[in-house]
């Protein structure tokens, strides 16, 4: 059995619903379908979830939201009409509308986008609609109660072998609804896949897989055919927009292959994500790199002290101060008499002066220098491990292009090499590396 999750762009209107039905019915093992709320039909359109957040803001300030609601309702009416659904959509719309005015929480309101879409999709496919409130359980801190969630879905599956599940939300222990952060239907799909030990989890979207680089930076980047979970974690942490961050954990733990597929081009192979790959395909044999990504706007704080290495508590004392300010230190490059903290500039905006004053007072360094405007660019690839020459190629390529590298870091599992460059060189760095490795 396969879990298939469709994102908002695949469910934006009646026409895309029809495409989804073709995909689901083309494979009889696609028995569990997870849906997002309707997304954008074109670039200037609105996502239904965004409109629901706006409804909540209107309600909060007691401003009429009739126009926005009409917009939302018309989206579902169009889907029902185009797909010829007999279901009484007006009844569900009235119920949701009435629920919104009865002191509903923001999570109650924004979850309705998925709820209504799942009701329509269930009727369209002839599958059972199973409300996420019946099986996806959160703890009060917002973390998923895996055991309870998996058990509940297994029980429901025993009664309903073909289900449509709304993504994005579940319930807290007291029965109130709770939503994941944005894009959370990806996580719902992963939880369903893990609960039911699915053969695979197919995540259907509007691109034919994960791209080797950001298409806003590199023209027409190649699609990655196969990527490991670790590589994907590196790419998404370093800025690539792939799947919701939490998607990986449930499927990875259960060792379920995850596919990214394109609803508009269902025959494209897409990207396969797994824990490991035993072999290499032709493309992988010729290329060490899986992807290139990066993030802008970092600061490097360099702390110097002569004979720093003799003072064995020095680094710890500095890090205790960054901890006090709740700062994530991304990298700590070091030399004999100095080391640097690489921290997002935004995170330092309210505390930089206090942080420096504390380090000065408590650690007594010789100097502290701050350099802003740094970008971190990551080259990621599992095949770099043990392959000589990859870092040499990165440095040579950037050197030839006249790009100055401010910082270098390689994780010891050798699946990533990160370089720090000036923000002004960010785009050129990614383009140059992409061109030299493809
Ligand atoms: N509809 C929600 C959002 O727009 C959740 C999702 O689509 O995954 O963020």
């Amino acid at each position: 059995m396969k879990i298939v999750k469709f994102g908002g762009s695949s469910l934006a209107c009646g026409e895309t619903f029809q495409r989804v039905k073709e995909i689901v019915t083309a494979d009889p093992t696609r028995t569990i379908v997870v849906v997002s709320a309707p997304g954008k039909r074109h670039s200037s359109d609105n996502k239904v979830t965004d409109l629901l957040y706006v409804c909540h803001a209107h309600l909060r300030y007691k401003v009429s939201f009739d126009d926005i609601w009409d917009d939302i309702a018309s989206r579902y009416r169009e889907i029902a009409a185009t797909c010829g659904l007999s279901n009484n959509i007006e009844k569900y719309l009235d119920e949701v509308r009435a629920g919104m005015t009865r002191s509903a929480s923001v999570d109650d309101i924004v979850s309705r986008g998925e709820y209504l879409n799942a009701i329509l999709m269930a009727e369209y496919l002839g599958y059972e609609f199973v409300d996420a409130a019946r099986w996806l359980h959160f703890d009060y801190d917002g973390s998923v109660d895996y055991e309870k969630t998996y058990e509940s879905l297994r029980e429901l599956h025993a009664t309903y072998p073909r289900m449509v599940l709304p993504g994005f939300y579940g319930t807290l222990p007291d029965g109130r609804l709770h939503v994941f952060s944005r894009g959370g239907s990806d996580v719902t799909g992963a939880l369903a896949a893990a609960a039911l030990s699915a053969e695979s989890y197919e995540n259907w979207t509007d691109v034919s897989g994960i791209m080797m680089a950001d298409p806003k930076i590199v023209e027409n980047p190649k699609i990655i055919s196969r990527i490991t979970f670790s590589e994907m974690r590196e790419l998404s942490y370093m800025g690539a927009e792939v799947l919701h961050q939490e998607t990986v954990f449930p499927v990875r733990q259960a060792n379920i292959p995850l596919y990214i597929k394109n609803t508009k081009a269902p025959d494209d192979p897409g990207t396969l994500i797994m824990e490991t790959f035993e072999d290499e395909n032709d493309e992988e044999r010729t290329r060490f790199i899986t992807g290139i990504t990066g993030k802008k706007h970092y600061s490097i704080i360099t702390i110097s002290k002569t004979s720093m290495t003799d003072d064995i508590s020095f680094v710890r004392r500095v890090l205790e101060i960054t901890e006090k300010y709740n700062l994530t230190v991304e990298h700590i490059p070091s030399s004999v008499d100095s080391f640097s903290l690489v921290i997002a500039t935004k995170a330092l905006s309210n505390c930089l002066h206090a942080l420096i004053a504390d380090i000065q007072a408590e650690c007594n360094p010789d100097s502290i220098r701050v350099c802003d405007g740094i970008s971190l660019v990551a080259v990621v690839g599992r095949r770099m491990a043990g392959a000589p020459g990859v870092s040499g190629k990165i440095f040579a390529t950037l050197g030839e292009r006249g790009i100055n590298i401010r910082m270098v870091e390689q994780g010891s599992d050798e699946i990533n090499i990160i370089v720090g460059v000036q923000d002004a060189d960010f785009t050129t760095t990614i383009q140059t590396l992409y061109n030299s490795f493809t």
Side-chain angles (χ1 to χ4, degrees):
M1 165 247 301
K2 292 176 185 150
I3 307 295
V4 284
K5 180 258 165 181
F6 292 91
S9 55
S10 307
L11 299 159
C13 62
E15 195 194 319
T16 55
F17 255 61
Q18 288 167 342
R19 234 177 273 152
V20 166
K21 185 172 184 176
E22 279 166 26
I23 291 168
V24 173
T25 50
D27 181 343
T29 65
R30 291 181 176 137
T31 49
I32 311 295
V33 179
V34 176
V35 297
S36 284
K40 292 184 181 192
R41 292 159 294 185
H42 45 82
S43 58
S44 54
D45 198 14
N46 295 304
K47 293 181 181 183
V48 163
T49 309
D50 290 340
L51 296 175
L52 289 166
Y53 274 104
V54 177
C55 285
H56 176 257
H58 278 62
L59 275 158
R60 203 168 138 217
Y61 295 105
K62 300 193 171 46
V63 177
S64 160
F65 64 96
D66 288 345
D67 290 350
I68 304 163
W69 173 255
D70 288 346
D71 214 1
I72 294 169
S74 70
R75 302 284 301 265
Y76 293 102
R77 287 189 187 113
E78 185 277 324
I79 292 169
T82 307
C83 298
L85 300 177
S86 61
N87 200 331
N88 193 353
I89 182 67
E90 295 306 325
K91 182 185 107 198
Y92 290 110
L93 288 172
D94 288 349
E95 254 173 44
V96 168
R97 174 75 164 83
M100 282 165 75
T101 35
R102 264 185 265 118
S103 66
S105 74
V106 60
D107 288 18
D108 283 336
I109 292 177
V110 302
S111 68
R112 298 304 85 185
E114 271 70 12
Y115 171 83
L116 289 167
N117 237 12
I119 288 176
L120 291 179
M121 184 56 80
E123 191 199 339
Y124 194 35
L125 294 175
Y127 285 17
E128 186 73 22
F129 163 76
V130 175
D131 195 342
R134 293 177 69 185
W135 68 276
L136 206 161
H137 301 285
F138 291 100
D139 284 323
Y140 281 116
D141 65 0
S143 62
V144 173
D145 180 340
Y146 291 100
E147 221 172 292
K148 203 168 159 197
T149 294
Y150 291 171
E151 209 182 290
S152 306
L153 192 63
R154 281 182 202 130
E155 270 172 29
L156 286 161
H157 186 236
T159 317
Y160 309 116
R162 292 170 183 273
M163 300 187 271
V164 175
L165 311 169
F168 193 36
Y169 69 94
T171 46
L172 293 167
D174 61 7
R176 282 180 299 136
L177 293 189
H178 180 70
V179 297
F180 287 109
S181 55
R182 297 298 303 270
S185 302
D186 284 342
V187 191
T188 308
L191 290 167
L196 304 177
S197 305
E199 170 196 330
S200 64
Y201 171 27
E202 295 177 350
N203 193 297
W204 290 82
T205 176
D206 56 356
V207 285
S208 288
I210 302 174
M211 294 177 206
M212 276 192 75
D214 183 345
K216 290 190 231 77
I217 297 177
V218 170
E219 211 187 304
N220 228 345
K222 292 195 163 97
I223 300 284
I224 301 168
S225 59
R226 309 193 307 173
I227 182 171
T228 65
F229 285 118
S230 308
E231 289 174 306
M232 202 183 73
R233 287 273 302 150
E234 293 288 343
L235 282 180
S236 41
Y237 183 72
M238 284 301 296
E241 284 169 25
V242 187
L243 291 165
H244 190 289
Q245 281 272 357
E246 289 168 52
T247 310
V248 169
F249 300 110
V251 276
R252 187 174 190 174
Q253 231 177 9
N255 203 15
I256 295 170
L258 165 50
Y259 290 88
I260 310 285
K261 299 274 287 175
N262 190 351
T263 309
K264 286 187 230 147
D267 295 330
D268 284 359
T271 298
L272 167 61
I273 309 159
M274 284 182 73
E275 187 61 35
T276 51
F277 295 97
E278 298 295 314
D279 55 346
E280 283 181 338
N281 62 26
D282 287 348
E283 181 191 297
E284 289 161 353
R285 263 187 286 280
T286 57
R287 199 169 62 220
F288 290 112
I289 296 307
T290 302
I292 301 166
T293 183
K295 300 192 275 193
K296 283 172 112 173
H297 310 312
Y298 278 82
S299 298
I300 301 184
I301 304 174
T302 304
I303 301 147
S304 305
K305 188 173 171 81
T306 310
S307 302
M308 180 187 85
T309 39
D310 293 339
D311 181 353
I312 59 166
S313 68
F314 189 73
V315 177
R316 173 180 55 76
R317 282 183 284 135
V318 171
L319 290 179
E320 272 174 5
I321 299 169
T322 58
E323 188 183 349
K324 182 173 119 188
Y325 289 98
N326 207 14
L327 294 166
T328 299
V329 179
E330 304 260 345
H331 302 284
I332 312 182
S334 63
S335 64
V336 187
D337 290 327
S338 75
F339 73 98
S340 303
L341 306 172
V342 182
I343 299 175
T345 307
K346 199 166 164 218
L348 291 165
S349 60
N350 292 324
C351 65
L352 181 64
H353 296 294
L355 176 81
I356 291 174
D358 279 6
I359 296 174
Q360 195 70 58
E362 288 172 40
C363 307
N364 196 26
D366 299 338
S367 70
I368 303 177
R369 276 175 296 123
V370 182
C371 170
D372 291 335
I374 298 293
S375 290
L376 302 177
V377 173
V379 178
V380 175
R382 63 187 180 281
R383 292 172 308 283
M384 294 192 318
V390 181
S391 49
K393 188 167 173 178
I394 293 174
F395 301 138
T397 312
L398 296 181
E400 276 159 25
R401 194 66 214 260
I403 295 169
N404 183 32
I405 300 174
R406 300 291 309 265
M407 186 215 92
V408 184
E409 184 113 312
Q410 172 168 20
S412 52
D413 54 3
E414 291 184 67
I415 68 161
N416 66 344
I417 296 173
I418 294 172
V419 292
V421 297
Q422 294 293 137
D423 278 344
D425 291 330
F426 178 73
T427 306
T428 326
T429 301
I430 293 182
Q431 288 167 343
T432 307
L433 292 174
Y434 179 85
N435 292 335
S436 81
F437 279 105
T438 52

